[in-house]
Amino acid sequence: MLRTFNRTNLLSPFELIRVRDVLKSNQGESFVHGAAEFAAGDMEAGLRTMASAAKAHDAAKWTVVTYLPFLWKPDTHMFLKPEVTKLFADRVGHEFALRYRADLDIEVYRCLLDLVACTRRAIKELQPRDNIDLQSFVWVVGDYSEA
């Protein structure tokens, strides 16, 4: 599983270290089970499980807990890179820009999914295949600067 984490460019080197620490620890199995639970639809329970497993490793962060569900079900889940996503939401006038909190609260994630649904509708002529395409769109728009 660590090879999968190493092959994407979504996580920063610091986040990768935190994920490795969690997965190699006694809490690794619990974290993966929580991610599977989250991906399968019980997002609230899965988030609690992942947060609990990751907390001891300073890895209870949105980037860490949304990573596996996003990879497993990119048609349903979204990877949350907070800063660029807040910039994107602000630029498109979505409430996520105001409602985001670093605390792992399921309502923040639900608001993210609403942002994703609104974005999908707004760019339907671009025919995004899944949330991987939408993540790329969010990244480009959110990270854009005139300079």
Side-chain angles (χ1 to χ4, degrees):
M1 180 170 313
L2 287 174
R3 278 186 291 184
T4 300
F5 280 92
N6 290 328
R7 289 185 180 165
T8 68
N9 64 354
L10 296 173
L11 296 173
S12 74
F14 300 108
E15 292 162 335
L16 277 172
I17 290 168
R18 288 181 177 134
V19 168
R20 280 189 211 125
D21 289 347
V22 172
L23 293 178
K24 289 181 175 183
S25 75
N26 293 337
Q27 294 88 17
E29 187 175 332
S30 178
F31 181 84
V32 172
H33 283 228
E37 195 172 27
F38 188 98
D42 192 350
M43 296 185 309
E44 202 162 344
L47 184 60
R48 274 194 312 272
T49 301
M50 285 188 290
S52 177
K55 189 175 183 178
H57 303 278
D58 194 29
K61 315 271 186 223
W62 282 112
T63 50
V64 173
V65 300
T66 58
Y67 186 77
L68 283 177
F70 175 66
L71 291 180
W72 289 340
K73 290 192 133 190
D75 54 330
T76 305
H77 292 290
M78 186 61 153
F79 176 68
L80 177 52
K81 200 74 162 171
E83 294 308 312
V84 74
T85 306
K86 287 188 299 184
L87 286 170
F88 173 81
D90 186 53
R91 288 179 174 167
V92 300
H94 191 275
E95 67 180 319
F96 182 83
L98 301 172
R99 294 194 54 202
Y100 171 78
R101 291 192 338 261
D103 298 337
L104 297 181
D105 179 342
I106 197 64
E107 292 309 315
V108 170
Y109 188 74
R110 286 187 176 122
C111 190
L112 171 67
L113 292 182
D114 183 69
L115 172 62
V116 169
C118 291
T119 303
R120 180 180 295 282
R121 286 190 299 275
I123 66 167
K124 67 182 173 191
E125 67 277 357
L126 298 176
Q127 301 177 347
R129 292 168 292 180
D130 53 29
N131 291 346
I132 294 171
D133 288 347
L134 291 172
Q135 173 63 39
S136 298
F137 186 82
V138 166
W139 186 264
V140 169
V141 173
D143 201 40
Y144 177 80
S145 72
E146 291 292 326

